[in-house]
Amino acid sequence: MEKEEVRKIIQDNIRNQIELDIKENNDGVAVTSSKIGGKPSVPADFEWPKYHAKWFEEGESLPLTFWAQFNLEEVSKYDKDGILPKKGMLSFFYCLTEDELFWGTNPSEKGSARIYYFEDVLSLVEAEFPEDLSDEFTISEKAVTFKENISYPTSEYLCEKYRTCPWDEYHECMEETGYYELPLCHDKLLGHSEFVQHCSEYLCEVVHRGYNADFPNGREFSDEEEKLILGELDNWVHLYQLDPSFAPYDYKLGVDGTIHFYIKREDLQALNFDNIEYILDCS
């Protein structure tokens, strides 16, 4: 693949993203506000999500940590492609433990991260933390604002989508865009995933099909199955990228990596957030 061809496929795969500017305080945060941490805004009958891992003791489960919520009416003016709903609240939860991390690469970990959508924002109330949620698994409340920007595809994504992407040519093209001189974007909505070692969309599709994406024995898919997996890459929407090792999240338990939440386009359009996938990828 020649450099000009690489440059073209990079340009063809540019997406819009919404970057988060996380404040150092919670000034102006209300029940209906987008925010990081604190107590989530939920319906009055909301049941706090819990997760039971296979290595927990029998009957043991842990409350998930609330990470962030986004009022989509606040977000919508930055969503240039109209991907997200125009109203409602999106809330993100992920399970923290003292001993293990959940990577999202095994179907057995389903439920260790959750996304909730609440359509009627004005009816929401502030939840109380569960009694069995340790203080070390809560996050300080911070206000957040947004700005739009463009998002370049990673070489990992292009390698899966096109089955090849010359490393040197890719980085030469990206250097010419000035990408490597831009400030790091730790947290954002939409766009391409960053700080990844693998193509997150590929891993999501593998897990979605019931396979273990850790590939302990290598990739053992048939050519037909591989083709079906690759055909779904662009059907995954990168909803939210969060960096738990970043200061606004209180450097939660030394989670060294970035969590990427994904949903299929048809599920997003149907407001069905039961089938989301996530990937925790070491940066």
Side-chain angles (χ1 to χ4, degrees), residues 23-261:
K23 310 303 180 183
E24 296 182 356
N25 54 59
N26 61 353
D27 292 352
V29 171
V31 173
T32 59
S33 298
S34 301
K35 65 176 184 176
I36 301 300
K39 297 177 179 178
S41 302
V42 299
D45 60 352
F46 179 73
E47 294 187 11
W48 197 284
K50 294 188 175 185
Y51 178 66
H52 173 79
K54 60 183 180 181
W55 46 271
F56 287 3
E57 294 183 5
E58 184 176 354
E60 180 188 8
S61 61
L62 282 179
L64 273 61
T65 291
F66 167 65
W67 291 83
Q69 68 183 33
F70 302 106
N71 185 327
L72 296 175
E73 191 170 356
E74 297 175 355
V75 172
S76 62
K77 66 179 180 179
Y78 305 97
D79 180 11
K80 296 305 181 183
D81 299 315
I83 294 174
L84 299 171
K86 299 298 183 185
K87 64 177 183 177
M89 188 77 82
L90 271 187
S91 294
F92 294 81
F93 292 76
Y94 169 77
C95 188
L96 290 172
T97 79
E98 293 181 353
D99 303 313
E100 300 284 345
L101 292 174
F102 299 108
W103 299 90
T105 51
N106 194 315
S108 67
E109 294 177 348
K110 184 175 178 59
S112 54
R114 298 287 301 271
I115 302 175
Y116 291 91
Y117 173 76
F118 308 123
E119 184 173 9
D120 185 3
V121 173
L122 295 180
S123 69
L124 302 181
V125 297
E126 185 178 79
E128 294 298 326
F129 290 132
E131 292 183 359
D132 53 347
L133 179 64
S134 170
D135 288 344
E136 65 181 328
F137 296 154
T138 63
I139 297 168
S140 302
E141 186 177 71
K142 308 281 197 313
V144 61
T145 58
F146 309 97
K147 66 176 181 179
E148 62 189 80
N149 209 334
I150 61 172
S151 175
Y152 289 96
T154 63
S155 59
E156 292 83 1
Y157 172 79
L158 296 180
C159 279
E160 293 292 5
K161 183 173 181 178
Y162 296 94
R163 306 313 288 160
T164 182
C165 181
W167 180 266
D168 290 340
E169 286 78 359
Y170 171 83
H171 285 283
E172 285 180 17
C173 291
M174 292 296 287
E175 187 173 8
E176 290 168 5
T177 68
Y179 173 79
Y180 296 123
E181 298 176 6
L182 297 174
L184 295 177
C185 177
H186 291 272
D187 292 79
K188 65 181 183 179
L189 303 170
L190 305 178
H192 288 280
S193 58
E194 297 178 283
F195 314 112
V196 295
Q197 297 184 21
H198 310 282
C199 174
S200 299
E201 291 90 342
Y202 186 93
L203 298 180
C204 285
E205 183 63 24
V206 169
V207 177
H208 201 66
R209 290 172 178 265
Y211 298 110
N212 184 343
D214 294 329
F215 302 116
N217 301 312
R219 300 184 183 184
E220 299 178 348
F221 305 122
S222 67
D223 291 344
E224 181 180 356
E225 186 82 348
E226 182 82 357
K227 184 177 180 180
L228 292 173
I229 291 171
L230 294 173
E232 289 295 315
L233 296 188
D234 285 336
N235 197 23
W236 286 100
V237 176
H238 184 226
L239 276 181
Y240 179 30
Q241 170 181 296
L242 74 92
D243 182 356
S245 64
F246 191 33
Y249 300 101
D250 306 325
Y251 303 103
K252 277 291 125 176
L253 291 182
V255 179
D256 183 18
T258 307
I259 306 174
H260 304 276
F261 290 85

